[in-house]
Amino acid sequence: MTTTVAPNAARQPEIDYRQALTQRRARPAELLFKVTLQFCLFVGFAFLVSLLTYVVYKGWGRLDSRLWTQMPTGRASRVDQAGVQSAITGTLWVIGLTAAICLPIGIASAIYLEEYADTEKWYNRLLELNIQNLAGVPSIVFGILGLGLIARTLGLGFTVLTASIVLSLLVLPTVIIASREALRAVPRSIRQASYALGATKWQTTWRQTLPAAVPGMSTGAILALSRAIGEAAPLILLGAVSFIRFNPDSLLASYTTLPIQIYNLIKQPQAEFQELASAAIVLLLVILLVMNSIAVFIRNRFQKSW
């Protein structure tokens, strides 16, 4: 007589073992570690919410059209009608030029390192090491480099172009690393199928690999620019602390940015300047949230699951 064995009978011990792992009581050390992590998360979140609430409450009275239509002022008697228009325009100039400089260079560098570079060559390994190290360099170091080399040695002065070059150097490692990760996430089978159909390496990169990596590249680029738009330390060394009541009209014009304008306002003892600084902080946070929302939208809209 033949005995029939159920197909799942051989896997029953494994299923029971998994159920035992999920149903067993947590150890005291694990429970303590989980509670500690939750407490740290709560403390950080509570501080963030309290700071945001304080800033919004303090600057609520100045969150109107005056903020972006009026120029700043140095007189406390006229601060009620003042705004930060020159800082907003300067920020758009600097960030726009920064994107125009660092994004093509960063993406092209990532394509070379990921698709063309021979990792066995010593200079390619040295290049990768330097990129990873530059990603952790403090921003003030880039400000000192820009002051000594770009502003003075090259003679560009304290202009929009100088600030954009320095911020491009600051966020370039982030763009390269994010772009390389996006390219690396594209399956090798896509490249191999393209090669099998007779496509060259450049045709495969341009028509297959690069379009598939665009969501990750876009997310990394916007996050890098979000960091650049909030930087103040390198710009302090590059002449952005001056009081400016006009909008920049060229690459060699003087400028100021929102972080620098906030820095100047917060130093003033009058309550009116503090209120205007809080409103400018809220405006800067809104710009950052919009940029990050665009990054999330691009990632969710175009990302593919392989």
Side-chain angles (χ1 to χ4, degrees):
M1 182 175 181
T2 305
T3 304
T4 303
V5 181
N8 295 330
R11 293 188 298 175
Q12 190 65 30
E14 180 181 357
I15 297 176
D16 294 340
Y17 176 72
R18 291 179 178 178
Q19 292 177 350
L21 285 178
T22 56
Q23 295 177 358
R24 68 182 179 84
R25 184 176 300 178
R27 297 178 181 178
E30 295 178 355
L31 183 60
L32 178 61
F33 183 67
K34 180 180 179 180
V35 171
T36 303
L37 293 178
Q38 291 176 344
F39 176 75
C40 294
L41 176 63
F42 172 77
V43 171
F45 184 74
F47 272 104
L48 177 62
V49 171
S50 62
L51 288 174
L52 292 178
T53 303
Y54 173 78
V55 170
V56 173
Y57 172 77
K58 187 136 184 167
W60 184 259
R62 292 304 314 275
L63 291 175
D64 51 34
S65 59
R66 294 174 296 172
L67 190 62
W68 54 83
T69 59
Q70 300 297 323
M71 292 293 179
T73 182
R75 300 179 182 179
S77 59
R78 301 181 58 183
V79 70
D80 291 338
Q81 301 300 322
V84 290
Q85 185 188 104
S86 59
I88 297 174
T89 308
T91 299
L92 295 178
W93 269 86
V94 171
I95 294 301
L97 188 56
T98 299
I101 294 175
C102 74
L103 295 188
I105 297 176
I107 294 174
S109 300
I111 293 174
Y112 168 75
L113 291 173
E114 195 64 30
E115 302 294 333
Y116 290 90
D118 185 2
T119 56
E120 300 298 328
K121 301 294 184 180
W122 66 269
Y123 50 84
N124 288 327
R125 294 199 302 269
L126 181 63
L127 184 61
E128 292 183 6
L129 178 62
N130 284 322
I131 291 173
Q132 295 173 0
N133 290 334
L134 286 175
V137 174
S139 59
I140 192 66
V141 176
F142 288 94
I144 297 173
L145 173 66
L147 175 63
L149 181 61
I150 301 174
R152 294 180 176 175
T153 303
L154 297 182
L156 295 180
F158 302 141
T159 60
V160 172
L161 182 59
T162 301
S164 300
I165 294 175
V166 171
L167 291 181
S168 298
L169 295 175
L170 175 64
V171 301
L172 187 59
T174 304
V175 175
I176 295 175
I177 293 173
S179 300
R180 290 192 65 186
E181 291 297 329
L183 290 170
R184 196 173 297 157
V186 179
R188 287 291 175 185
S189 58
I190 302 295
R191 300 174 175 85
Q192 294 170 357
S194 180
Y195 296 149
L197 294 175
T200 62
K201 193 175 188 64
W202 167 245
Q203 290 174 336
T204 300
T205 302
W206 181 252
R207 298 181 181 179
Q208 302 297 328
T209 308
L210 194 58
V214 163
M217 288 182 173
S218 303
T219 303
I222 294 177
L223 293 179
L225 294 177
S226 298
R227 178 192 176 187
I229 202 174
E231 284 292 342
L235 300 183
I236 290 176
L237 295 174
L238 297 175
V241 295
S242 56
F243 180 74
I244 294 178
R245 288 181 50 84
F246 58 87
N247 296 324
D249 55 0
S250 68
L251 299 182
L252 300 179
S254 300
Y255 70 100
T256 188
T257 60
L258 276 173
I260 298 300
Q261 190 66 49
I262 294 169
Y263 172 78
N264 287 332
L265 291 171
I266 210 70
K267 295 188 300 181
Q268 304 297 328
Q270 292 84 357
E272 295 82 3
F273 285 105
Q274 307 295 322
E275 184 179 3
L276 182 58
S278 299
I281 291 173
V282 174
L283 178 62
L284 181 59
L285 288 175
V286 170
I287 295 175
L288 290 174
L289 288 176
V290 170
M291 295 180 66
N292 288 308
S293 299
I294 294 174
V296 173
F297 172 77
I298 293 175
R299 182 188 62 194
N300 295 337
R301 176 66 178 82
F302 299 101
Q303 189 173 21
K304 298 180 180 179
S305 299
W306 304 103

